[in-house]
Amino acid sequence: AGAGKIPESLGLAVGAVFLVVLILVQQAHGLVLRAADGEARWWDAWLPGGGRAAGEAERRHLLVMLNYDVSLASICFMLFLGFADDVLDIPWRTKILLPAVAALPLLAAYMGGTAILLPRAVRALVGVSLLELGALYKLYMLLFVIFCTNSINIHAGLNGLEAGQTFVVACAVLSFNIQQLAGRAFDASGARVGVDLADEHLLSACLMVPLLGTTLGLLKFNWFPSKVFVGDTFTYFAGMVLAVAGILGHFSETMLVFMLPQVLNFVYSTPQLFKIVPCPRHRLPTFDPKTGLLHPTPRPDGGPNLNLVNLFLRVFGPTTEEALCVRLMVFQVLCCCLGLVLHILMEGRYK
């Protein structure tokens, strides 16, 4: 990234812009939803009582606005805690639980179902289609948030890697949302019924668009050679946005397939993360100034550092930082494509 001073924690600026844009999107979504439910002109919603519908339509509007509010609260909370980590250098064992604190607004205000649809093979064995989890579903949501935020944070260390993986996953999520919305716009007979403005995939898409825009701007300056560093502020913020989209959009299983590299990196890193083997504070590759290549780094006990970055260097050999980042991004793209294809092939068959 050069020898000069490089600004750090630029994820704070990206997160702030994201929050402002999402608030504007929320207001626009609310106006259009009120106008559609009240069968009024969209500008009537600005007038006192204009475009206001009662009963079910009002409940739909309030639920959509609540989902936006809890999204904003959790994302803003995570953005603050990520910046606090950059400034205070919080120990790993403490900061791994920071997302649990930021997820409290989401857990407290969650009004969706807590039952899961069982796979068809399991239904034949247990005799039921839905399994009510109750509080266990809230625990799953909490663990999902902790995973999404920390998984991006530990799959890092190269110029452009944090922003790049976020951009790729967000593109996959948006493509999935559009595919789902397009499918639901037609009934079983093929007649067009239009898009439900309260659909959870529309909310997820509204989260992804500003995330893509802000991340792309950051990636332009964070790509090798980096002019800015994203910091834990961005990794926690980006992970929380993806977690909120997966939970409120009810596609956390698909999200985990999109994030398969992060899942593999977490599982592979488990022995070091839980101190089963020695784990240095930083597990970054070693740079050889003579060749300009990166080499995998050993642990203090002589064994290999257990993460995908070092694994790729051991498997494919020493390479430049930019080339290594491109290889990891290609792997991320392939996993996202796999997730989209699997969902299309298994939709209506698996569950």
Side-chain angles (χ1 to χ4, degrees):
K5 293 183 178 180
I6 299 177
E8 299 186 24
S9 303
L10 259 292
L12 182 63
V14 171
V17 173
F18 172 89
L19 291 172
V20 172
V21 173
L22 186 60
I23 291 172
L24 296 176
V25 171
Q26 177 191 23
Q27 298 307 308
H29 194 167
L31 290 174
V32 173
L33 184 59
R34 279 195 183 278
D37 287 339
E39 298 182 356
R41 299 168 300 182
W42 68 267
W43 58 81
D44 287 341
W46 288 97
L47 304 176
R52 193 174 184 83
E56 179 64 21
E58 183 65 14
R59 191 194 69 82
R60 274 166 30 96
H61 176 270
L62 292 176
L63 182 59
V64 170
M65 293 300 103
L66 175 65
N67 285 337
Y68 272 107
D69 289 339
V70 298
S71 300
L72 286 164
S74 293
I75 295 168
C76 185
F77 209 165
M78 193 71 260
L79 188 66
F80 168 75
L81 292 176
F83 184 68
D85 181 31
D86 281 334
V87 174
L88 302 176
D89 200 16
I90 300 172
W92 172 254
R93 291 185 179 181
T94 302
K95 70 181 184 180
I96 197 172
L97 297 176
L98 291 181
V101 178
L104 290 177
L106 179 63
L107 296 175
Y110 179 74
M111 297 180 65
T114 55
I116 59 172
L117 181 63
L118 297 175
R120 294 190 175 188
V122 177
R123 293 182 216 172
L125 297 176
V126 299
V128 295
S129 298
L130 291 175
L131 178 62
E132 178 59 49
L133 296 180
L136 289 178
Y137 191 84
K138 294 286 187 77
L139 177 61
Y140 165 73
M141 289 169 54
L142 181 62
L143 295 176
F144 182 72
V145 169
I146 293 175
F147 167 77
C148 286
T149 49
N150 283 289
S151 65
I152 292 181
N153 191 41
I154 64 175
H155 186 41
L158 303 176
N159 288 176
L161 180 56
E162 298 94 328
Q165 64 183 295
T166 300
F167 184 79
V168 173
V169 175
C171 284
V173 172
L174 182 59
S175 300
F176 175 67
N177 295 149
I178 294 173
Q179 182 256 331
Q180 290 295 300
L181 289 170
R184 297 178 184 184
F186 298 89
D187 61 18
S189 65
R192 190 176 186 279
V193 295
V195 175
D196 181 5
L197 294 177
D199 193 295
E200 61 269 17
H201 283 283
L202 183 58
L203 171 64
S204 175
C206 289
L207 289 168
M208 289 303 105
V209 171
L211 179 62
L212 282 171
T214 52
T215 302
L216 183 60
L218 177 64
L219 187 58
K220 177 182 178 181
F221 296 96
N222 183 238
W223 191 258
F224 184 89
S226 178
K227 300 178 181 64
V228 299
F229 290 146
V230 300
D232 289 347
T233 308
F234 176 79
T235 58
Y236 282 133
F237 150 76
M240 180 58 79
V241 177
L242 295 174
V244 167
I247 290 172
L248 296 182
H250 303 291
F251 59 92
S252 56
E253 291 178 349
T254 304
M255 181 70 81
L256 289 175
V257 180
F258 292 156
M259 299 182 71
L260 185 57
Q262 288 73 24
V263 174
L264 295 175
N265 185 61
F266 175 78
V267 173
Y268 185 52
S269 300
T270 297
Q272 283 192 295
L273 296 178
F274 291 95
K275 304 296 184 180
I276 299 173
V277 297
C279 181
R281 180 166 181 80
H282 297 292
R283 301 178 294 165
L284 303 178
T286 301
F287 176 71
D288 185 351
K290 294 182 179 179
T291 62
L293 303 179
L294 295 179
H295 297 263
T297 54
R299 299 195 306 261
D301 64 350
N305 274 315
L306 306 178
N307 58 15
L308 280 187
V309 172
N310 282 287
L311 179 62
F312 266 56
L313 287 172
R314 290 197 300 273
V315 172
F316 299 107
T319 185
T320 64
E321 182 172 353
E322 185 175 20
L324 178 58
C325 189
V326 169
R327 289 174 182 174
L328 290 167
M329 289 301 97
V330 170
F331 182 48
Q332 188 82 57
V333 170
L334 292 175
C335 290
C336 288
C337 292
L338 174 65
L340 291 171
V341 171
L342 283 178
H343 193 278
I344 293 173
L345 294 178
M346 300 180 68
E347 189 171 19
R349 298 180 177 89
Y350 173 62
K351 288 186 176 181

Coordinates of all heavy atoms in Angstrom, one line a residue, residues 178-230:
I178 N -34.2 -10.4 -6.4 CA -34.9 -10.1 -7.6 C -35.5 -11.4 -8.2 O -36.7 -11.4 -8.7 CB -33.9 -9.5 -8.6 CG1 -33.4 -8.1 -8.1 CG2 -34.5 -9.4 -10.0 CD1 -32.3 -7.5 -9.0
Q179 N -34.8 -12.5 -8.1 CA -35.4 -13.8 -8.7 C -36.6 -14.2 -7.9 O -37.6 -14.6 -8.5 CB -34.3 -14.9 -8.6 CG -34.7 -16.2 -9.1 CD -35.1 -17.2 -8.0 OE1 -34.5 -17.2 -6.9 NE2 -36.0 -18.1 -8.3
Q180 N -36.6 -14.0 -6.5 CA -37.7 -14.4 -5.7 C -38.9 -13.4 -6.0 O -40.0 -13.8 -6.1 CB -37.3 -14.3 -4.2 CG -36.4 -15.4 -3.8 CD -37.0 -16.8 -3.9 OE1 -38.0 -17.1 -3.3 NE2 -36.5 -17.7 -4.7
L181 N -38.6 -12.1 -6.1 CA -39.7 -11.2 -6.3 C -40.3 -11.4 -7.7 O -41.5 -11.3 -7.9 CB -39.1 -9.7 -6.3 CG -38.7 -9.2 -4.8 CD1 -38.0 -7.9 -4.9 CD2 -40.0 -9.1 -4.0
A182 N -39.5 -11.7 -8.7 CA -40.0 -12.0 -10.0 C -40.9 -13.2 -10.0 O -42.0 -13.2 -10.7 CB -38.9 -12.1 -11.0
G183 N -40.5 -14.2 -9.3 CA -41.3 -15.5 -9.2 C -42.6 -15.2 -8.5 O -43.7 -15.8 -8.9
R184 N -42.6 -14.4 -7.5 CA -43.9 -14.1 -6.7 C -44.8 -13.1 -7.4 O -45.9 -12.9 -7.0 CB -43.5 -13.6 -5.3 CG -42.7 -14.7 -4.5 CD -42.4 -14.1 -3.2 NE -41.5 -15.1 -2.4 CZ -41.1 -14.9 -1.2 NH1 -41.4 -13.8 -0.5 NH2 -40.4 -15.8 -0.6
A185 N -44.3 -12.5 -8.5 CA -45.2 -11.5 -9.2 C -46.2 -12.2 -10.1 O -47.0 -11.5 -10.7 CB -44.3 -10.6 -10.1
F186 N -46.2 -13.6 -10.2 CA -47.1 -14.3 -11.0 C -47.7 -15.4 -10.1 O -47.1 -16.0 -9.3 CB -46.4 -14.9 -12.2 CG -45.8 -13.9 -13.1 CD1 -44.5 -13.5 -12.9 CD2 -46.6 -13.4 -14.2 CE1 -44.0 -12.5 -13.8 CE2 -46.0 -12.5 -15.0 CZ -44.7 -12.0 -14.8
D187 N -49.0 -15.7 -10.3 CA -49.7 -16.7 -9.6 C -49.5 -18.1 -10.2 O -48.8 -18.2 -11.3 CB -51.2 -16.4 -9.4 CG -51.9 -16.3 -10.7 OD1 -51.4 -16.8 -11.7 OD2 -53.0 -15.8 -10.7
A188 N -50.1 -19.1 -9.7 CA -49.9 -20.5 -10.2 C -50.4 -20.6 -11.7 O -49.8 -21.5 -12.4 CB -50.7 -21.5 -9.3
S189 N -51.3 -19.9 -12.1 CA -51.8 -20.0 -13.5 C -51.0 -19.2 -14.5 O -51.2 -19.2 -15.7 CB -53.3 -19.5 -13.5 OG -53.4 -18.1 -13.2
G190 N -50.0 -18.4 -13.9 CA -49.2 -17.6 -14.8 C -49.7 -16.2 -14.9 O -49.0 -15.4 -15.6
A191 N -50.8 -15.8 -14.3 CA -51.3 -14.5 -14.4 C -50.4 -13.5 -13.5 O -50.0 -13.9 -12.4 CB -52.7 -14.4 -13.9
R192 N -50.2 -12.3 -14.0 CA -49.4 -11.4 -13.3 C -50.2 -10.8 -12.1 O -51.3 -10.2 -12.3 CB -48.9 -10.3 -14.2 CG -47.9 -9.3 -13.6 CD -47.3 -8.3 -14.6 NE -46.3 -7.5 -14.1 CZ -46.4 -6.5 -13.3 NH1 -47.6 -6.1 -13.0 NH2 -45.4 -5.8 -12.9
V193 N -49.6 -10.8 -10.9 CA -50.3 -10.3 -9.7 C -49.5 -9.1 -9.2 O -50.0 -8.4 -8.2 CB -50.5 -11.4 -8.6 CG1 -51.5 -12.4 -9.1 CG2 -49.2 -11.9 -8.2
G194 N -48.4 -8.8 -9.7 CA -47.6 -7.7 -9.2 C -46.7 -8.1 -8.0 O -46.9 -9.1 -7.4
V195 N -45.9 -7.2 -7.6 CA -45.0 -7.3 -6.5 C -45.6 -6.8 -5.2 O -46.2 -5.7 -5.2 CB -43.6 -6.6 -6.7 CG1 -42.7 -6.7 -5.5 CG2 -42.9 -7.2 -7.9
D196 N -45.6 -7.6 -4.2 CA -46.1 -7.2 -2.9 C -45.1 -6.2 -2.3 O -43.9 -6.6 -2.0 CB -46.2 -8.4 -1.9 CG -46.8 -8.1 -0.6 OD1 -47.1 -6.9 -0.3 OD2 -46.9 -9.0 0.3
L197 N -45.5 -5.0 -2.0 CA -44.6 -4.0 -1.5 C -44.1 -4.2 -0.1 O -43.2 -3.6 0.4 CB -45.3 -2.6 -1.6 CG -45.5 -2.1 -3.1 CD1 -46.3 -0.8 -3.0 CD2 -44.2 -2.0 -3.8
A198 N -44.8 -5.2 0.6 CA -44.4 -5.5 1.9 C -43.6 -6.8 2.0 O -43.3 -7.4 3.0 CB -45.6 -5.7 2.8
D199 N -43.2 -7.3 0.8 CA -42.4 -8.6 0.7 C -41.1 -8.4 1.4 O -40.4 -7.4 1.2 CB -42.2 -9.0 -0.8 CG -41.8 -10.4 -1.0 OD1 -40.6 -10.7 -0.5 OD2 -42.5 -11.2 -1.5
E200 N -40.7 -9.5 2.1 CA -39.4 -9.4 2.8 C -38.2 -9.4 1.9 O -37.2 -8.8 2.2 CB -39.3 -10.6 3.8 CG -39.3 -12.0 3.1 CD -40.7 -12.6 3.0 OE1 -41.7 -11.8 3.1 OE2 -40.8 -13.8 2.8
H201 N -38.3 -9.9 0.7 CA -37.2 -9.8 -0.3 C -37.1 -8.4 -0.8 O -36.0 -8.0 -1.2 CB -37.5 -10.8 -1.4 CG -37.1 -12.2 -1.0 ND1 -35.9 -12.7 -0.9 CD2 -38.0 -13.3 -0.7 CE1 -35.9 -14.0 -0.5 NE2 -37.1 -14.4 -0.4
L202 N -38.1 -7.7 -0.9 CA -38.0 -6.3 -1.3 C -37.3 -5.5 -0.2 O -36.4 -4.6 -0.6 CB -39.4 -5.7 -1.5 CG -39.4 -4.2 -2.0 CD1 -38.7 -4.1 -3.3 CD2 -40.9 -3.7 -2.2
L203 N -37.5 -5.8 1.0 CA -36.8 -5.1 2.1 C -35.3 -5.5 2.0 O -34.4 -4.6 2.1 CB -37.3 -5.5 3.5 CG -36.5 -5.1 4.7 CD1 -36.5 -3.6 4.8 CD2 -37.1 -5.7 6.0
S204 N -35.0 -6.7 1.8 CA -33.6 -7.2 1.7 C -32.9 -6.5 0.5 O -31.8 -6.0 0.6 CB -33.5 -8.7 1.5 OG -32.2 -9.1 1.2
A205 N -33.6 -6.3 -0.6 CA -33.1 -5.7 -1.8 C -32.8 -4.2 -1.5 O -31.8 -3.6 -1.9 CB -34.0 -5.8 -3.0
C206 N -33.7 -3.6 -0.7 CA -33.5 -2.2 -0.3 C -32.3 -2.0 0.6 O -31.7 -0.9 0.7 CB -34.7 -1.6 0.4 SG -36.1 -1.4 -0.7
L207 N -31.9 -3.1 1.3 CA -30.7 -3.0 2.1 C -29.4 -3.3 1.2 O -28.4 -2.6 1.5 CB -30.7 -4.1 3.2 CG -31.7 -3.9 4.4 CD1 -31.8 -5.2 5.2 CD2 -31.2 -2.8 5.3
M208 N -29.6 -4.1 0.2 CA -28.4 -4.4 -0.6 C -28.0 -3.3 -1.5 O -26.8 -3.1 -1.8 CB -28.7 -5.7 -1.4 CG -28.8 -7.0 -0.6 SD -27.3 -7.3 0.3 CE -27.9 -6.9 2.0
V209 N -28.9 -2.6 -2.1 CA -28.6 -1.6 -3.1 C -27.7 -0.5 -2.5 O -26.6 -0.2 -3.0 CB -29.9 -0.9 -3.7 CG1 -29.5 0.3 -4.5 CG2 -30.6 -1.9 -4.5
P210 N -28.0 0.1 -1.3 CA -27.1 1.1 -0.8 C -25.8 0.4 -0.3 O -24.7 1.1 -0.3 CB -27.8 1.7 0.4 CG -28.9 0.8 0.7 CD -29.3 0.1 -0.6
L211 N -25.8 -0.8 0.2 CA -24.6 -1.5 0.6 C -23.7 -1.7 -0.6 O -22.5 -1.5 -0.5 CB -24.9 -2.9 1.2 CG -23.7 -3.7 1.6 CD1 -22.9 -3.0 2.7 CD2 -24.2 -5.1 2.1
L212 N -24.2 -2.1 -1.8 CA -23.4 -2.2 -3.0 C -22.8 -0.9 -3.4 O -21.6 -0.9 -3.8 CB -24.3 -2.8 -4.1 CG -24.6 -4.3 -4.1 CD1 -25.7 -4.6 -5.1 CD2 -23.3 -5.1 -4.3
G213 N -23.6 0.1 -3.4 CA -23.1 1.4 -3.8 C -22.0 2.0 -3.0 O -20.9 2.4 -3.5
T214 N -22.2 1.9 -1.7 CA -21.1 2.4 -0.7 C -19.9 1.5 -0.8 O -18.8 2.0 -0.7 CB -21.7 2.5 0.7 OG1 -22.3 1.2 1.1 CG2 -22.7 3.6 0.8
T215 N -20.1 0.2 -0.8 CA -18.9 -0.7 -0.9 C -18.1 -0.6 -2.1 O -16.9 -0.7 -2.1 CB -19.4 -2.2 -0.7 OG1 -20.2 -2.3 0.5 CG2 -18.3 -3.1 -0.7
L216 N -18.8 -0.4 -3.3 CA -18.1 -0.2 -4.5 C -17.2 1.1 -4.5 O -16.1 1.0 -4.9 CB -19.1 -0.1 -5.7 CG -18.5 0.0 -7.1 CD1 -17.6 -1.2 -7.4 CD2 -19.6 0.2 -8.1
G217 N -17.7 2.1 -3.9 CA -16.9 3.3 -3.7 C -15.7 3.1 -2.8 O -14.6 3.6 -3.1
L218 N -15.9 2.3 -1.8 CA -14.8 2.0 -0.9 C -13.8 1.1 -1.5 O -12.6 1.3 -1.4 CB -15.4 1.3 0.4 CG -14.3 0.9 1.4 CD1 -13.6 2.1 2.0 CD2 -15.0 0.1 2.5
L219 N -14.3 0.2 -2.3 CA -13.4 -0.8 -3.0 C -12.5 -0.1 -4.0 O -11.3 -0.5 -4.2 CB -14.2 -1.9 -3.7 CG -13.5 -3.0 -4.3 CD1 -12.7 -3.8 -3.3 CD2 -14.5 -4.0 -5.0
K220 N -12.9 1.0 -4.6 CA -12.1 1.7 -5.5 C -10.8 2.2 -4.9 O -9.8 2.2 -5.5 CB -12.9 2.9 -6.1 CG -12.1 3.8 -7.0 CD -12.9 4.9 -7.6 CE -12.1 5.8 -8.5 NZ -12.9 7.0 -8.9
F221 N -10.9 2.6 -3.6 CA -9.8 3.2 -2.9 C -9.1 2.1 -2.0 O -7.9 2.3 -1.6 CB -10.2 4.3 -2.0 CG -10.7 5.5 -2.8 CD1 -12.1 5.7 -3.0 CD2 -9.9 6.4 -3.3 CE1 -12.6 6.8 -3.7 CE2 -10.4 7.5 -4.0 CZ -11.7 7.7 -4.2
N222 N -9.8 1.0 -1.7 CA -9.2 0.0 -0.9 C -8.5 -1.1 -1.7 O -7.7 -1.9 -1.1 CB -10.3 -0.6 0.0 CG -9.7 -1.6 1.0 OD1 -10.2 -2.8 1.0 ND2 -8.8 -1.2 1.8
W223 N -8.7 -1.2 -3.0 CA -8.1 -2.2 -3.8 C -6.6 -1.9 -3.9 O -6.1 -0.8 -3.7 CB -8.7 -2.2 -5.2 CG -8.2 -3.4 -6.0 CD1 -7.3 -3.5 -7.0 CD2 -8.7 -4.8 -5.8 NE1 -7.2 -4.7 -7.5 CE2 -8.0 -5.6 -6.8 CE3 -9.6 -5.4 -5.0 CZ2 -8.2 -6.9 -6.9 CZ3 -9.8 -6.8 -5.1 CH2 -9.1 -7.5 -6.1
F224 N -5.8 -3.0 -4.1 CA -4.3 -2.9 -4.1 C -3.9 -1.9 -5.3 O -4.3 -2.1 -6.4 CB -3.7 -4.3 -4.3 CG -2.2 -4.3 -4.3 CD1 -1.6 -4.5 -3.1 CD2 -1.5 -4.1 -5.5 CE1 -0.2 -4.5 -3.0 CE2 -0.1 -4.1 -5.4 CZ 0.6 -4.3 -4.2
P225 N -2.9 -1.0 -5.0 CA -2.4 -0.7 -3.7 C -3.4 0.2 -2.9 O -3.8 1.3 -3.4 CB -1.1 0.1 -4.0 CG -1.4 0.7 -5.3 CD -2.3 -0.3 -6.1
S226 N -3.7 -0.1 -1.7 CA -4.7 0.5 -0.9 C -4.4 2.0 -0.6 O -3.3 2.3 -0.2 CB -5.0 -0.2 0.3 OG -6.0 0.4 1.1
K227 N -5.4 2.9 -0.8 CA -5.2 4.2 -0.3 C -5.9 4.5 1.0 O -5.7 5.5 1.6 CB -5.8 5.2 -1.4 CG -5.1 5.1 -2.8 CD -5.8 6.0 -3.8 CE -5.1 5.9 -5.2 NZ -5.3 4.5 -5.7
V228 N -6.8 3.6 1.4 CA -7.5 3.6 2.7 C -7.6 2.2 3.2 O -7.6 1.2 2.5 CB -8.9 4.3 2.6 CG1 -8.8 5.7 2.0 CG2 -9.8 3.4 1.7
F229 N -7.7 2.1 4.6 CA -8.0 0.9 5.2 C -9.4 0.9 5.8 O -9.8 1.9 6.3 CB -7.0 0.6 6.3 CG -5.6 0.3 5.9 CD1 -4.5 0.7 6.6 CD2 -5.4 -0.4 4.7 CE1 -3.2 0.5 6.1 CE2 -4.1 -0.7 4.2 CZ -3.0 -0.2 5.0
V230 N -10.1 -0.2 5.7 CA -11.5 -0.3 6.1 C -11.7 -0.4 7.6 O -12.6 0.1 8.2 CB -12.2 -1.4 5.4 CG1 -12.2 -1.2 3.9 CG2 -11.7 -2.8 5.7

